[in-house]
């Protein structure tokens, strides 16, 4: 393994000197940096706008604008205007429909009685609250009428119902809402890191087979040296690239921190404690290496660069499953999926740091998961070295990963 | 140094490729490992380089098991390949360092061989920007880095033009003169005939001939002479022989007649020619070319 440093430096240099890597990093880092100026730019334009006087009694309005056809005499326009800021009344349904077709209004209401209406819309959106808001308006008018009939003052009744309850919470464990944003950003970064650099490392190995450099390499040094050097170089290159992007974002954030809403800054700054960061780093680095070793060995099992995609699909799918478990688990940090996922090394890379940040994890759980993760990384690193040696000069048919493992085990036992 | 390849057998998917391959190579002598395409040359060399392990047999260097990681070996594989998108000098330094050289030595060695092959102008170019022949020279330079003790070239002449072939021949001869151990495989007999001291001929995974090329040529040329008559075509010469010396069987190649003189000496034969008033332009003992030896031996094996 004494040549690992040479392989590492050569590979790292060749990755970081690639124009595509340099340009991508600069573009993404610049975008992140520029993005942090957005609140400041918005704030700058907001100041220029004149402050509107607003309605006289804004608290009463439930709807800003509405187009209606009133087919009942039991309800008056004046009653509706108490709750609708801008009310346009049309005589017939067809007139209203024409206005909507011509995009003058997005929605219209045909009121048949004080308690029933039909709404007309050009295109129905998936989530639309207009109809329920109008329903509230009619309901409110009717409730007020009923209260007056009973000789009750609607304002007094509303006041009686309007009770403000003050509450405070004491969180003994962790507040999931605090770390949510930062955890989500980190989970996505790790996802991109593994997918991108996994693909890089497998392509790099396959290219050495494709351009026949492999025979020179394995007669110059040991396969273990080659794969370890390559995996670490790709690993570090990934961290350098992502680190640059994160640094650019942080720098921008530092410059523009006064423009950001206080709540957002709190979510970013106070999201994760130092122990969460440590857990995140341990599991990410270990899991990242685990995946990179597997990706590298899969690259050695194909003869041509164009076959890499098909070869790495199973491991990519597995990682996507890990990502899905983690993202679903973020909503329910104590759920069964995230609990199980935080023990399985292939999913623990994302699941355990998320669970640890958003929920309470016993130290023994952490230790077990960590041991399993490190063991799996070591076992798969060893298997990957053997598979790399096996696949490195196999230029025939593609060997599957499972078949390759069986061949390695058979060879070991022979 | 003496390298012994002893009873090496190798099978792939239950098909035996090498059958007890044995031959010996000594320092200071050019060793040509010859055979047709698919005869087993590359498999033997890859087993020797520990690219894959032979099923049985051994490789001994001066009587000891050959450990390729402990001996300085310059290896040019048959499957040529280097990093096409890396700068030439950078990757030569990398390969030299992987083989144990310090950075400074690696750089000096890489620069020396690039200059020797007239490629120093391209040292900072990417390999893919060079012509195929020049890429081949970079790959040969890779095998020469760090002044190895043993050189193994698998089909070094394939893809080289006559000028570059001569450059390579000169380098190989230089290494042989320095007392290095050199093996090269080839199926292009004319390239290696001139400077091979020893040969091992492999066919269908079996060594069918090995030893000193001079002795082999002498043995295979015994009882035959070359003769050329002045101002006579080969066809006329054969007719002349049939008319005047019909007891001798003869054939011709592009140079001259080749006459079998089994029951007489060359001196007696020349006397008989003189008696018949033949005007002899050229007379010499017949020594078959490597090509002739190859065709004859492989033909015999396949008969």
């Amino acid at each position: 393994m004494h040549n690992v440093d040479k392989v590492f430096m050569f590979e790292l240099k060749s990755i970081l000197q690639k124009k595509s890597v340099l340009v991508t990093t600069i573009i993404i880092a610049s975008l992140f940096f520029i993005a942090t100026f957005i609140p400041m730019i918005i704030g700058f334009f907001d100041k220029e706008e004149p402050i509107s006087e607003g309605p006289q009694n804004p608290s009463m309005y439930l709807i800003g604008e509405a187009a209606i056809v009133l087919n009942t005499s039991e309800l008056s326009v004046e009653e509706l205007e108490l709750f609708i800021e801008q009310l346009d009344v049309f005589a017939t349904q067809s007139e209203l429909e024409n206005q909507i077709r011509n995009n003058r209004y997005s929605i219209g209401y045909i009121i048949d009685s004080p308690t029933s209406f039909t709404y007309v819309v050009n295109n129905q959106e998936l989530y639309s609250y207009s109809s329920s808001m109008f329903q509230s308006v009619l309901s409110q008018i009717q409730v007020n009428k009923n209260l007056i009939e009973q000789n009750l003052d609607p304002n007094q009744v509303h006041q009686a119902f309007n009770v403000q309850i003050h509450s405070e919470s004491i969180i003994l464990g962790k507040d999931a809402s605090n770390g949510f944003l930062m955890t989500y950003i980190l989970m996505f970064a790790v996802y991109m890191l593994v997918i991108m650099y996994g693909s890089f490392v497998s392509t790099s190995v396959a290219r050495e087979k494709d351009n026949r450099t492999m025979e020179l390499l394995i007669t110059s040094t040991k396969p273990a040296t080659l794969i370890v050097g390559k995996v670490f170089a790709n690993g570090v290159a990934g961290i350098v690239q992502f680190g640059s992007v994160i640094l650019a974002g942080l720098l921008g954030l530092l410059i523009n921190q006064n423009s950001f809403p206080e709540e957002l800054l709190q979510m970013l700054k106070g999201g994760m404690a130092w122990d969460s960061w440590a857990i995140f780093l341990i599991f990410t680095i270990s899991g990242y290496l685990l995946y990179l070793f597997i990706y590298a060995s899969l690259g050695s099992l194909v003869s041509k660069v164009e076959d890499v995609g098909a070869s790495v699909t199973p491991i990519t799918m597995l990682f996507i499953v890990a990502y899905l478990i983690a993202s679903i688990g973020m909503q329910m940090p104590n759920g069964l999926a995230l609990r199980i996922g935080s023990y399985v090394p292939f999913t623990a890379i994302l699941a355990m740091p998320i669970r640890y940040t958003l929920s309470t994890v016993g130290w023994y759980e952490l230790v077990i998961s960590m041991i399993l993760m490190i063991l799996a990384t070591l076992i798969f690193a060893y298997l990957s070295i053997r598979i790399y040696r096996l696949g490195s000069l196999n230029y025939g048919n593609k060997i599957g990963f499972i078949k390759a493992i069986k061949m390695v085990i058979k060879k070991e036992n022979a | 140094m003496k390298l012994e390849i002893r009873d090496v057998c190798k099978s792939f998917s239950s098909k035996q490729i090498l059958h007890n391959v044995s031959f010996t190579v000594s320092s200071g002598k050019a060793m040509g490992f010859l055979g047709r395409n698919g005869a087993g040359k590359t498999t033997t060399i890859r087993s020797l380089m520990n690219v894959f392990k032979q099923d049985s047999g051994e490789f001994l260097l001066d009587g000891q098991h050959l450990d390729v990681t402990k001996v300085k070996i310059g290896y040019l594989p048959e499957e040529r390949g280097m990093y096409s998108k890396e700068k030439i000098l950078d990757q030569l330094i990398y390969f030299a360092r992987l083989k144990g050289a310090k950075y400074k030595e690696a750089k000096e060695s890489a620069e020396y061989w690039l200059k020797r092959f007239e490629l120093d102008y391209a040292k900072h170019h990417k390999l893919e920007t060079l012509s195929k022949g020049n890429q081949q020279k970079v790959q040969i330079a890779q095998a020469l880095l760090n002044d190895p003790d043993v050189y193994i070239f698998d089909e070094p002449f394939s893809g080289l033009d006559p000028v570059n072939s001569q450059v390579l021949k000169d380098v190989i001869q230089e290494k042989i003169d320095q007392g290095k151990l050199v093996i090269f495989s080839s199926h292009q007999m004319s390239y290696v005939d001139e400077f091979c001291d020893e040969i091992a001929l492999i066919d269908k995974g079996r060594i069918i001939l090995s030893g000193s090329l001079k002795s082999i040529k002498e043995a295979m040329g015994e009882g035959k002479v070359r003769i050329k008559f002045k101002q006579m075509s080969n066809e006329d010469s054969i007719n002349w022989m049939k008319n005047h010396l019909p007891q001798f069987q003869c054939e011709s190649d592009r140079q001259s007649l080749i006459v079998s003189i089994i029951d007489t000496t060359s001196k007696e034969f020349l006397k008989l020619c003189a008696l018949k008033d033949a005007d002899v332009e050229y007379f010499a003992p017949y020594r078959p070319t490597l090509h002739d030896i190859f065709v004859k031996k492989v033909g015999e094996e396949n008969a």
Side-chain angles (χ1 to χ4, degrees):
Chain A
M1 298 284 273
H2 70 285
N3 275 334
V4 168
D5 58 329
K6 292 163 197 162
V7 179
F8 173 81
M9 285 312 294
F10 181 80
E11 291 287 337
L12 186 64
K13 203 175 147 196
S14 70
I15 298 167
L16 295 180
Q17 278 182 345
K18 265 187 206 154
K19 272 186 192 154
S20 57
V21 173
L22 275 175
V23 171
T24 319
T25 312
I26 291 168
I27 290 175
I28 299 175
S30 308
L31 284 177
F32 266 69
F33 185 71
I34 292 165
T36 59
F37 285 81
I38 291 172
M40 192 192 80
I41 296 165
I42 292 171
F44 179 75
F45 284 108
D46 274 354
K47 275 178 204 161
E48 300 298 311
E49 283 175 11
I51 298 158
S52 65
E53 285 174 17
Q56 282 178 336
N57 189 3
S59 60
M60 290 294 284
Y61 293 135
L62 291 175
I63 296 175
E65 188 186 50
I68 62 161
V69 175
L70 196 58
N71 288 339
T72 174
S73 55
E74 290 174 60
L75 196 65
S76 69
V77 171
E78 289 73 26
E79 281 175 310
L80 286 163
E81 275 177 341
L82 281 172
F83 298 95
I84 300 167
E85 193 178 358
Q86 170 75 43
L87 188 68
D88 294 325
V89 185
F90 294 92
T92 62
Q93 183 175 339
S94 60
E95 214 177 307
L96 178 71
E97 283 176 359
N98 277 340
Q99 292 288 329
I100 290 167
R101 265 194 213 99
N102 295 334
N103 289 325
R104 172 70 184 82
Y105 300 95
S106 58
I107 191 164
Y109 307 93
I110 301 150
I111 304 166
D112 300 314
S113 79
T115 54
S116 72
F117 72 94
T118 306
Y119 79 97
V120 185
V121 66
N122 214 6
N123 296 306
Q124 177 73 298
E125 287 175 8
L126 191 59
Y127 300 107
S128 171
Y129 303 103
S130 307
S131 154
S132 59
M133 291 304 287
F134 196 76
Q135 208 173 325
S136 302
V137 169
L138 293 190
S139 163
Q140 196 67 61
I141 292 168
Q142 202 52 43
V143 167
N144 286 355
K145 273 184 182 171
N146 292 344
L147 288 171
I148 291 163
E149 267 176 29
Q150 299 294 320
N151 290 324
L152 293 168
D153 181 354
N155 285 334
Q156 281 182 345
V157 174
H158 288 311
Q159 262 179 6
F161 274 100
N162 190 14
V163 179
Q164 296 287 332
I165 306 292
H166 178 73
S167 77
E168 274 183 15
S169 57
I170 297 170
I171 299 161
L172 298 174
K174 285 164 183 165
D175 183 0
S177 63
N178 256 352
F180 193 85
L181 182 64
M182 189 51 100
T183 313
Y184 192 82
I185 292 171
L186 290 175
M187 182 183 76
F188 191 70
V190 173
Y191 174 77
M192 293 300 292
L193 197 66
V194 171
I195 294 282
M196 270 178 69
Y197 277 85
S199 167
F200 277 8
V201 77
S202 53
T203 308
S204 162
V205 172
R207 185 165 289 124
E208 278 171 358
K209 276 187 79 179
D210 200 0
N211 64 23
R212 314 275 163 163
T213 320
M214 189 66 91
E215 192 168 341
L216 267 188
L217 290 168
I218 60 165
T219 52
S220 303
T221 191
K222 289 184 175 148
T225 305
L226 291 168
I227 193 167
V228 170
K230 202 174 261 295
V231 161
F232 275 86
N234 275 274
V236 169
I239 290 167
V240 167
Q241 196 180 23
F242 275 74
S244 317
V245 172
I246 290 170
L247 271 180
L250 284 178
L251 187 69
L253 205 65
L254 213 64
I255 295 169
N256 297 299
Q257 56 180 325
N258 294 334
S259 321
F260 278 82
E262 192 55 36
E263 305 81 43
L264 188 67
L265 280 176
Q266 275 311 312
M267 280 175 97
L268 288 169
K269 282 180 188 169
M272 282 170 71
W274 67 268
D275 55 332
S276 295
W277 279 106
I279 296 299
F280 168 78
L281 278 177
I282 292 169
F283 278 87
T284 300
I285 290 172
S286 186
Y288 181 40
L289 286 176
L290 168 68
Y291 274 100
L292 287 188
F293 272 114
I294 296 173
Y295 270 104
S297 60
L298 287 169
S300 73
L301 292 176
V302 295
S303 309
K304 294 196 170 292
V305 175
E306 55 264 35
D307 295 335
V308 171
S311 177
V312 301
T313 301
I315 192 70
T316 305
M317 292 304 290
L318 182 64
F319 188 60
I320 290 172
V321 169
Y323 180 76
L324 287 176
I325 290 173
S327 39
I328 294 166
M330 281 184 82
Q331 318 295 325
M332 298 170 289
N334 291 314
L336 190 64
L338 204 64
R339 269 176 188 276
I340 296 172
S342 63
Y343 288 104
V344 180
F346 292 104
T347 49
I349 175 178
L350 295 170
M352 184 48 100
I354 287 171
R355 221 187 115 202
Y356 187 83
T357 309
L358 303 181
S359 169
T360 303
V361 180
W363 66 267
Y364 60 92
E365 290 184 89
L366 210 56
V367 171
I368 292 170
S369 175
M370 215 179 277
I371 290 172
L372 287 175
M373 172 67 105
I374 291 168
L375 269 181
T377 308
L378 291 175
I379 290 169
F380 275 91
Y382 174 77
L383 280 174
S384 298
I385 291 166
R386 311 302 299 174
I387 291 170
Y388 178 81
R389 182 69 180 87
L390 175 86
S392 54
L393 283 165
N394 173 56
Y395 284 102
N397 294 330
K398 197 191 107 187
I399 307 173
F401 190 64
I402 304 294
K403 192 183 170 192
I405 291 179
K406 282 181 189 165
M407 284 166 83
V408 165
I409 293 168
K410 203 175 154 190
K411 219 172 174 182
E412 293 291 304
N413 294 332
Chain B
M1 276 191 295
K2 190 170 158 188
L3 177 68
E4 287 172 78
I5 288 111
R6 200 183 276 177
D7 293 324
V8 173
C9 295
K10 177 71 190 169
S11 301
F12 289 113
S13 309
S14 73
K15 189 185 177 195
Q16 192 164 358
I17 305 297
L18 300 181
H19 304 262
N20 297 90
V21 170
S22 299
F23 60 93
T24 305
V25 196
S26 304
S27 310
K29 287 180 180 171
M31 165 70 188
F33 185 37
L34 314 171
R36 297 160 72 184
N37 294 329
K41 301 185 294 291
T42 298
T43 307
T44 307
I45 287 175
R46 282 182 170 170
S47 299
L48 169 64
M49 288 304 296
N50 202 25
V51 171
F52 38 65
K53 196 156 171 47
Q54 69 275 18
D55 301 335
S56 62
E58 55 189 346
F59 298 97
L60 303 172
L61 187 68
D62 294 331
Q64 302 292 312
H65 166 72
L66 171 72
D67 183 348
V68 286
T69 60
K70 291 190 176 138
V71 181
K72 279 170 83 179
I73 299 178
Y75 176 46
L76 177 71
E78 186 208 18
E79 302 270 17
R80 308 278 194 270
M82 286 175 77
Y83 297 103
S84 56
K85 294 193 184 296
E86 295 294 332
K87 287 176 186 167
I88 292 163
L89 183 64
D90 287 354
Q91 55 180 317
L92 284 178
I93 292 172
Y94 175 54
F95 282 114
R97 294 195 71 206
L98 281 184
K99 288 190 239 175
K102 297 244 179 334
Y103 181 82
K104 195 169 167 257
E105 294 164 6
K107 190 166 182 270
E108 279 169 6
S109 181
E111 283 180 333
Y112 170 80
W113 285 109
L114 286 176
K115 198 168 181 184
R116 179 84 187 262
F117 287 133
E118 296 173 343
L119 285 171
D120 50 340
Y121 72 92
K123 63 184 178 185
H124 297 303
H125 294 188
K126 286 181 182 172
L127 185 67
E128 65 184 0
T129 60
L130 298 190
S131 69
K132 210 173 172 188
N134 281 339
Q135 287 190 24
Q136 179 99 328
K137 286 203 281 184
V138 174
Q139 282 147 355
I140 292 167
Q142 172 280 132
L144 296 161
L145 295 167
N146 293 357
D147 192 27
D149 298 316
V150 177
Y151 292 85
I152 297 167
F153 299 102
D154 199 353
E155 300 280 358
F157 299 102
S158 74
L160 286 185
D161 63 32
V163 175
N164 285 327
S165 292
Q166 190 54 51
V167 173
L168 178 59
K169 277 183 199 173
D170 293 345
V171 170
I172 292 178
Q173 192 57 57
E174 184 184 301
K175 293 295 160 192
I176 290 162
D177 294 343
Q178 286 170 5
K180 307 282 185 178
L181 197 146
V182 182
I183 310 174
F184 55 92
S185 79
S186 186
H187 63 274
Q188 293 157 298
M189 303 304 138
S190 56
Y191 278 118
V192 293
D193 199 356
E194 303 160 32
F195 70 104
C196 253
D197 300 310
E198 309 264 329
I199 60 162
L201 192 54
I202 188 168
D203 189 49
K204 292 179 182 165
R206 289 187 171 83
I207 297 291
I208 53 171
L209 185 69
S210 71
S212 152
L213 182 58
K214 196 177 165 210
S215 311
I216 290 169
K217 283 189 172 184
E218 276 173 10
M220 290 184 76
E222 208 174 325
K224 286 183 179 177
V225 289
R226 270 193 186 278
I227 190 161
K228 186 167 172 58
F229 301 116
K230 237 179 211 171
Q231 291 171 342
M232 248 195 246
S233 68
N234 277 352
E235 202 179 328
D236 293 341
S237 302
I238 288 173
N239 287 335
W240 187 91
M241 284 292 293
K242 276 180 186 166
N243 293 334
H244 297 93
L245 297 167
Q247 68 274 34
F248 295 103
Q249 282 199 340
C250 64
E251 55 188 317
S252 70
D253 61 12
R254 292 179 74 175
Q255 296 173 37
S256 64
L257 291 192
I258 301 159
V259 184
S260 294
I261 50 163
I262 296 160
D263 296 325
T264 185
T265 63
S266 54
K267 202 173 164 186
E268 287 295 321
F269 173 71
L270 198 57
K271 260 188 201 169
L272 287 171
C273 289
L275 281 173
K276 298 288 179 187
D277 212 17
D279 195 358
V280 176
E281 182 187 320
Y282 172 83
F283 182 79
Y286 169 69
R287 293 289 174 260
T289 62
L290 200 46
H291 179 265
D292 298 332
I293 295 168
F294 183 81
V295 170
K296 186 170 187 291
K297 289 305 289 184
V298 172
E300 278 171 11
E301 286 297 314
N302 292 312

